[in-house]
Amino acid sequence: MAAYQILDCDLHDYLEIACMHRYDLLVELLSGEQFNARALTTYTAKGKGEYLVLEADAGQQEVRIDRLLAITPLNPKACFGRVTFKP
């Protein structure tokens, strides 16, 4: 697996907000995969990077944050729209 790429603080804030409000998200990964899931929390795994913990239909899953392409809140009153992590 490639070395972890640190996320800008501005972008990390969106993940924290999504987790705090338990937003339902459309999650887009760099691999092209897309799925809907609820944001739960983030955590740092020593030497392995930061992860976003999500609750999806298939159960809880963890996505390494530098693998995110974008997130889009599906909640009508979300305080932000689509956020792109990689150009």
Side-chain angles (χ1 to χ4, degrees):
M1 186 176 279
Y4 178 74
Q5 300 295 312
I6 296 173
L7 185 67
D8 289 338
C9 290
D10 295 0
L11 294 173
H12 199 278
D13 290 345
Y14 289 107
L15 296 176
E16 294 299 326
I17 291 167
C19 292
M20 182 174 61
H21 293 288
R22 297 285 197 255
Y23 284 162
D24 292 316
L25 303 172
L26 169 61
V27 179
E28 300 171 62
L29 303 180
L30 292 173
S31 66
E33 181 182 359
Q34 295 183 6
F35 58 91
N36 293 347
R38 176 167 289 143
L40 300 178
T41 192
T42 62
Y43 75 92
T44 301
K46 188 173 181 174
K48 295 184 180 182
E50 291 184 280
Y51 289 80
L52 174 62
V53 180
L54 301 155
E55 183 68 38
D57 289 340
Q60 187 169 308
Q61 65 185 94
E62 300 171 356
V63 174
R64 202 167 92 169
I65 290 174
D66 66 344
R67 301 290 186 239
L68 291 172
L69 172 64
I71 59 170
T72 305
L74 302 175
N75 304 68
K77 296 186 180 189
C79 62
F80 62 89
R82 184 175 191 264
V83 176
T84 303
F85 294 92
K86 302 283 183 180

